[in-house]
Amino acid sequence: MATPYRLVMTTCGTQTQARDIARQLVTNKQAACVNILPSVESIYMWQGEVTQDSEYKLMIKTHVDFVTAVMETIHRLHAYDVPEIQVIEVGAGSRDYFNWIDEVLN
């Protein structure tokens, strides 16, 4: 059974940009928490070429009501032409953690 909580993922090319996006999301109460994972190696197709980059992965914890705002903030602040934005439904988890998310975002 799904919950109203979502994990939004994106990547950034620099730690500075990852931190800027994370801080903006938390400051604006669009996300309760953002984890930044360093040294994510990405291999992907871009403009007909196989490309390899080191990136920073953001794991954004939010409520379904804020997903659109989160995506808009990512698009507005992101340097990439086509930023990764994936939204994952959270099926289950700690009730205490979910209560904390609600408290932070309200």
Side-chain angles (χ1 to χ4, degrees):
M1 179 173 158
T3 69
Y5 305 98
R6 300 294 182 265
L7 176 65
V8 181
M9 296 190 304
T10 192
T11 54
C12 292
T14 69
Q15 186 176 44
T16 298
Q17 184 177 61
R19 286 178 174 166
D20 288 347
I21 290 172
R23 281 193 179 100
Q24 187 82 332
L25 292 169
V26 172
T27 299
N28 292 342
K29 294 188 175 252
Q30 296 169 343
C33 175
V34 180
N35 299 122
I36 301 172
L37 304 169
S39 300
V40 174
E41 193 71 23
S42 297
I43 300 172
Y44 56 96
M45 187 66 71
W46 183 249
Q47 298 179 341
E49 302 280 330
V50 175
T51 303
Q52 183 172 345
D53 284 312
S54 183
E55 297 181 296
Y56 295 82
K57 184 78 156 184
L58 281 72
M59 298 175 62
I60 302 158
K61 287 65 165 280
T62 192
H63 190 279
V64 67
D65 293 343
F66 299 105
V67 168
T68 299
V70 167
M71 294 191 314
E72 288 171 355
T73 297
I74 292 170
H75 278 292
R76 182 171 43 82
L77 298 177
H78 213 289
Y80 291 172
D81 292 337
V82 182
E84 168 197 0
I85 300 176
Q86 297 183 60
V87 180
I88 299 169
E89 289 186 16
V90 177
S94 164
R95 173 72 345 230
D96 290 337
Y97 189 75
F98 295 155
N99 288 342
W100 173 79
I101 289 175
D102 289 338
E103 181 181 313
V104 169
L105 295 180
N106 288 321

